[in-house]
């Protein structure tokens, strides 16, 4: 296992501006989003809008990932992703969501999710998750991936690759008529082969015109997740696997979630639409 020292909060730069010509989600400037009361199944027009937003999110994530290297700050990654989305007419969905101050999440090493980009400098051997969501034409597209920074130890490399594989397996398990808990069952059974923890309290979610619609997609075998999968449903799958415990602590910023044992964790995410035969990924570059 890597001998890297644990993360500490860095210094935040001011929030980045978005041209007034780019429409904002309704929650910007409010303490919380309005509750979503629409359907989980979306029409074809909404799905195609989500595909466009998802493509921008995926490309923004790719552009930011090109800058991952020892010596680069996580704030620089935020700058790159922000610029890409704004240049393509999209609003960075995280910016102003429940007062989140940045345009993507950067979760390094022991950070499970929701790391805030700041003056933190990436080090050789780090792993870093980029979580990017774009809002365009009234809908959101949400994706994330974990990347290697420099020369990374074999244990961490394996965690990253197996977390990616757990997402791939979960996507293949999505079929109309099955219950949502098939997703968590597949992820958890695969993760158990390697002794990994599967984070329970942070989940996949419904997404459409709402960033988080209220539909919950657990990544472990939750017997309560009995919602039947139907064609046209749109949601994310975003497993978070850990080298140790699935339990967590939160920093004083109210966002940054770290493993309780401070061991490393990885995550991958796609936004999907359910088809007649399976699932179609909406966050492809």
């Amino acid at each position: 296992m890597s001998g890297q020292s644990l993360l500490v909060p860095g210094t935040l730069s001011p929030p980045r501006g978005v041209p007034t010509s780019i429409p904002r989600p309704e929650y910007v400037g409010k303490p919380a989003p309005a509750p979503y009361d629409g359907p989980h199944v979306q029409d074809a027009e909404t799905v195609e809008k989500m595909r466009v937003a998802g493509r921008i999110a995926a490309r923004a994530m790719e552009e930011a990932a090109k800058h991952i290297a020892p010596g680069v700050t996580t704030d620089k990654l935020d700058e790159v992703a922000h610029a890409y989305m704004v240049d393509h007419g999209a609003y960075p969905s995280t910016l102003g969501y429940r007062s989140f101050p940045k345009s993507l999440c950067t979760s390094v090493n022991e950070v499970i999710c929701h790391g805030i980009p700041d003056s933190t400098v990436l080090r050789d051997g780090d792993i870093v998750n980029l979580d990017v969501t774009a809002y365009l034409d009234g809908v959101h597209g949400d994706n994330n991936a974990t990347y290697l920074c420099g020369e990374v130890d074999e244990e961490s490399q394996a965690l990253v690759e197996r977390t990616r594989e757990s997402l791939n397996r979960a996507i293949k398990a999505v079929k109309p008529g099955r219950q949502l808990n098939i997703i968590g069952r597949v992820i958890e059974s695969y993760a158990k082969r390697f002794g990994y923890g599967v984070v329970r309290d942070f989940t996949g979610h419904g997404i459409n015109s709402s960033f988080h619609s209220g539909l919950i997609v657990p990544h472990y075998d939750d017997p309560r997740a009995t919602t039947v999968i139907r064609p046209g449903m749109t949601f994310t799958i975003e497993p978070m696997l850990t080298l140790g415990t699935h339990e967590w602590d939160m920093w004083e910023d109210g966002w940054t979630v770290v493993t309780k044992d401070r061991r490393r964790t990885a995550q991958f995410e796609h936004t999907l639409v359910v088809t007649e035969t399976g699932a179609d990924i909406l966050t492809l570059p």
Side-chain angles (χ1 to χ4, degrees):
M1 180 183 172
S2 170
Q4 296 280 50
S5 58
L6 298 178
L7 292 174
V8 295
T11 302
L12 282 177
S13 65
R16 304 187 194 283
V18 178
T20 56
S21 59
I22 295 178
R24 273 81 167 139
E26 57 81 22
Y27 52 74
V28 174
K30 301 178 182 177
Y36 177 74
D37 58 4
H40 295 313
V41 171
Q42 306 303 310
D43 59 32
E45 181 182 3
T46 301
V47 169
E48 288 312 306
K49 288 180 179 179
M50 290 179 65
R51 193 184 306 278
V52 176
R55 184 179 302 123
I56 289 174
R59 289 177 176 171
M61 185 173 72
E62 281 192 340
E63 286 301 310
K66 292 176 183 177
H67 293 262
I68 292 174
V72 174
T73 66
T74 54
D75 191 60
K76 176 64 178 180
L77 306 180
D78 181 78
E79 177 188 345
V80 173
H82 177 95
Y84 187 93
M85 286 185 274
V86 168
D87 288 349
H88 289 80
Y91 185 92
S93 300
T94 62
L95 184 60
Y97 178 79
R98 297 184 181 272
S99 300
F100 191 84
K102 290 295 178 177
S103 299
L104 83 163
C105 300
T106 51
S107 300
V108 181
N109 295 344
E110 69 269 19
V111 179
I112 294 172
C113 57
H114 305 158
I116 301 174
D118 58 18
S119 63
T120 296
V121 176
L122 295 176
R123 301 161 297 179
D124 186 58
D126 283 343
I127 60 174
V128 55
N129 179 273
L130 305 183
D131 192 340
V132 182
T133 310
Y135 178 77
L136 181 69
D137 208 5
V139 298
H140 300 267
D142 186 3
N143 68 163
N144 77 54
T146 303
Y147 298 89
L148 310 181
C149 180
E151 296 295 322
V152 174
D153 66 274
E154 292 184 4
E155 184 180 44
S156 298
Q157 288 186 51
L159 174 68
V160 170
E161 287 308 310
R162 289 165 179 166
T163 306
R164 187 200 310 271
E165 176 63 16
S166 76
L167 172 60
N168 293 339
R169 289 174 181 238
I171 292 171
K172 290 177 182 177
V174 174
K175 305 286 183 186
R178 291 179 170 177
Q179 294 181 342
L180 276 177
N181 56 17
I182 186 65
I183 293 168
R185 190 176 309 137
V186 166
I187 292 168
E188 187 172 39
S189 63
Y190 179 70
K192 278 184 174 179
R193 294 189 197 178
F194 313 104
Y196 294 156
V198 181
V199 174
R200 294 175 168 231
D201 295 332
F202 300 90
T203 68
H205 54 88
I207 184 170
N208 37 66
S209 60
S210 173
F211 194 172
H212 300 86
S213 73
L215 181 69
I216 302 298
V217 183
H219 302 123
Y220 68 102
D221 188 3
D222 185 348
R224 299 167 296 179
T226 57
T227 299
V228 174
I229 298 170
R230 293 181 290 157
M233 290 177 72
T234 50
F235 53 82
T236 72
I237 303 176
E238 45 188 296
M240 290 150 266
L241 305 187
T242 70
L243 290 175
T245 182
H246 67 270
E247 296 180 341
W248 52 273
D249 293 322
M250 185 176 286
W251 283 4
E252 291 184 2
D253 61 23
W255 282 105
T256 306
V257 179
V258 296
T259 54
K260 186 171 283 291
D261 58 11
R262 303 303 191 266
R263 298 195 71 191
R264 288 188 168 190
T265 175
Q267 182 184 18
F268 285 84
E269 173 187 24
H270 275 305
T271 295
L272 312 172
V273 60
V274 181
T275 67
E276 296 294 336
T277 58
D280 186 13
I281 298 173
L282 299 178
T283 40
L284 293 175

